[in-house]
Amino acid sequence: MKRLAAIAVAAAALHAVPAGAVEIEVGYPYSHLFDVTYEKIMESFKKEHPEIEVTFRATYEDYEDGTNTILREAVSGNLPDITMQGLNRQQVLVEKGIAKSLEPFIAKEADFEKDGYHKAMLDLGTFGGEVHGLPFSVSLPVGYYNMDLVKKAGTTALPKTWDEVIQLCQKMSANGVKNPMFWGWNITGNWFVQALMWSQDKPIVEDGRFTIDSDEGLVSLETMKKLFRGCDMQNLSWKEALASFSAGEIGMMFWSTSALGAVERAKGDFELKTAEFPGIGQKPKGLPAGGNAALLVSTSDDPERLQAAWTFLKYITSGLGAAAVAETTGYMPPNKAANEIILADFYKKNPNKETAVRQLPLLREWIAYPGDNGLAVTQVIYDGIESVVVGDQDDMKALQEELQEEVTDLLPAPAKGS
């Protein structure tokens, strides 16, 4: 059961709880990525705060599952104290009054800014001028390369554009590589669709309006089709793709840097390299920030429990907690103290994890679809892209029109004058 891993982490870390300890509950996604992170964090947190007992709930399958779970728990009155949510899923929880403002706690922290939070990262969790989410981990899309299979294609040069990716796919295929590439179309929140749009400096939602009907939208759809067809890409689930790449069966994989730690732990005997995310004919002009943030959703009116929740929330997003994220995953810490002090030499020794750091100047917003139908919009776009992956749709202009119509029907009407 998916709860077992989280319970095991909690049990190992929380032994010898003193009488009178304040208990808080925490929910987080992606057990395969973050179990080792929280285990590492809890080793130090428990030593520093023996007065706080942390219980981890069943892990969320992904960010969509996390948001759906919290929405259900808000109705049933069974919310945890802290939930980790995708950066693009915070807004709906703020708008529904589920996520609490952190400003009252921040106001009492004389050295809060000195803890090293990047303002740009804080902005991702700021709504109505108030901070509601502290960023826990930040990711960007990167390329993963099995250099043994790349060399089998007669080269060591890594592609900088999607056309070059297709050329390398064809060289790999000609040299016996059965599955040259996987491209993460099915990653959470239509993240790779937004990556193609931001590569052209175009947000997928602008002034409340869906923009897939733009020239950039059509280029994005056509680029996906060229990749899927030109690389004979198999229709794998994301779990199958990560396992297959780790087993040495896929030549190159385009995915979030977040999985790097998991891939390194699981990979077979081949040389792994990461490189910057390719662009459409040139270097990307922007890329969406992935990752998640810590939100306070407690319904408790006990000031000690709320303070304990804040203590934990602040700890996991500040220096030591943020450093643990980088050391155990491929995420980047959204915290200057972690990047500049604790991890000063880390990236020199771990060049594959430095790739995403080099892309930080390209960081753009991971856009939330406005209104109550954001999750439904995500599914519509997912289904549309899947129709291209499986070969049911070859007319990208027709798909563009279909997506524009269906998504527009689900979004709130843009404000007049927009």
Side-chain angles (χ1 to χ4, degrees), residues 5-242:
I7 290 176
V9 171
L14 304 178
H15 62 284
V17 177
V22 180
E23 181 180 353
I24 62 171
E25 295 187 347
V26 178
Y28 67 89
Y30 296 121
S31 174
H32 70 292
L33 296 182
F34 286 115
D35 279 358
V36 293
T37 306
Y38 284 103
E39 187 173 7
K40 185 176 181 67
I41 288 173
M42 289 308 299
E43 289 176 4
S44 57
F45 179 79
K46 198 58 194 169
K47 292 177 183 177
E48 293 189 31
H49 296 283
E51 77 284 1
I52 300 174
E53 178 182 359
V54 181
T55 299
F56 292 103
R57 289 193 174 184
T59 51
Y60 312 132
E61 179 75 10
D62 53 28
Y63 291 143
E64 284 76 24
D65 180 43
T67 304
N68 273 323
T69 299
I70 290 297
L71 291 172
R72 288 195 305 270
E73 290 172 344
V75 173
S76 64
N78 186 36
L79 285 165
D81 297 290
I82 294 169
T83 181
M84 313 303 288
Q85 293 285 318
L87 295 177
N88 68 325
R89 299 299 180 194
Q90 298 177 85
Q91 185 172 341
V92 64
L93 301 184
V94 173
E95 289 175 347
K96 290 184 177 296
I98 298 171
K100 306 295 190 294
S101 171
L102 299 178
E103 292 296 335
F105 299 96
I106 292 173
K108 297 177 183 178
E109 299 284 340
D111 62 345
F112 181 77
E113 291 186 358
K114 293 179 183 178
D115 275 346
Y117 296 95
H118 285 286
K119 181 180 184 302
M121 301 304 182
L122 280 181
D123 287 347
L124 296 172
T126 300
F127 303 89
E130 297 191 356
V131 174
H132 286 76
L134 289 184
F136 175 63
S137 59
V138 174
S139 63
L140 284 166
V142 297
Y144 292 70
Y145 298 91
N146 179 328
M147 292 306 295
D148 293 11
L149 297 185
V150 170
K151 291 172 185 175
K152 189 175 180 180
T155 184
T156 57
L158 299 181
K160 293 182 171 58
T161 68
W162 297 118
D163 285 340
E164 291 176 3
V165 166
I166 294 169
Q167 292 168 12
L168 183 52
C169 279
Q170 293 168 349
K171 289 179 182 178
M172 286 184 176
S173 295
N175 284 276
V177 179
K178 294 180 179 179
N179 192 3
M181 185 209 73
F182 181 79
W183 192 86
W185 71 273
N186 49 6
I187 202 167
T188 182
N190 311 139
W191 198 47
F192 267 31
V193 179
Q194 293 202 26
L196 290 183
M197 295 288 284
W198 274 127
S199 290
Q200 303 168 79
D201 206 24
K202 184 71 174 180
I204 201 166
V205 176
E206 200 166 21
D207 296 326
R209 185 181 179 282
F210 189 51
T211 64
I212 204 71
D213 63 347
S214 62
D215 291 343
E216 293 88 350
L218 185 58
V219 168
S220 296
L221 295 175
E222 293 284 6
T223 298
M224 282 185 274
K225 177 187 170 183
K226 284 198 303 182
L227 280 165
F228 303 156
R229 302 291 184 269
C231 291
D232 292 323
M233 194 183 81
Q234 297 179 17
N235 183 26
L236 303 176
S237 72
W238 63 268
K239 287 185 177 180
E240 291 171 334
L242 289 176

